[in-house]
Amino acid sequence: MMEPGLGAVIFLILTIIVVVSVGAFLVYRVMNRPDAHIGSRLPKDDPPAEAGPEDDRDSHRNP
């Protein structure tokens, strides 16, 4: 018969394997959809990003 500690270790190892497998499957399923990369989720035109950082430097300091 197995010792109680050995049963707990086997249960934890199997639980970890199942959790990691489910997580890997979910990541695989999401990342293999069309347009799944991060660039597809960004807005197409971002006017503040087109302006250089030097354009906006003094705009909030003018009283």
Side-chain angles (χ1 to χ4, degrees), residues 1-15:
M1 188 153 203
M2 283 195 304
E3 297 180 21
L6 183 60
V9 169
I10 291 173
F11 174 75
L12 287 176
I13 289 173
L14 291 176
T15 304

Side-chain angles (χ1 to χ4, degrees), residues 48 51-63:
E54 63 277 351
D55 296 340
D56 194 34
R57 190 173 297 157
D58 294 330
S59 64
H60 57 81
R61 292 189 201 167
N62 295 336

Side-chain angles (χ1 to χ4, degrees), residues 12-28:
L12 287 176
I13 289 173
L14 291 176
T15 304
I16 290 171
I17 290 172
V18 167
V19 167
V20 169
S21 299
V22 169
F25 171 72
L26 291 175
V27 169
Y28 173 80

Side-chain angles (χ1 to χ4, degrees), residues 21-43:
S21 299
V22 169
F25 171 72
L26 291 175
V27 169
Y28 173 80
R29 190 180 73 164
V30 168
M31 293 307 291
N32 282 323
R33 287 185 184 162
D35 297 330
H37 54 88
I38 187 63
S40 67
R41 305 208 187 275
L42 295 175

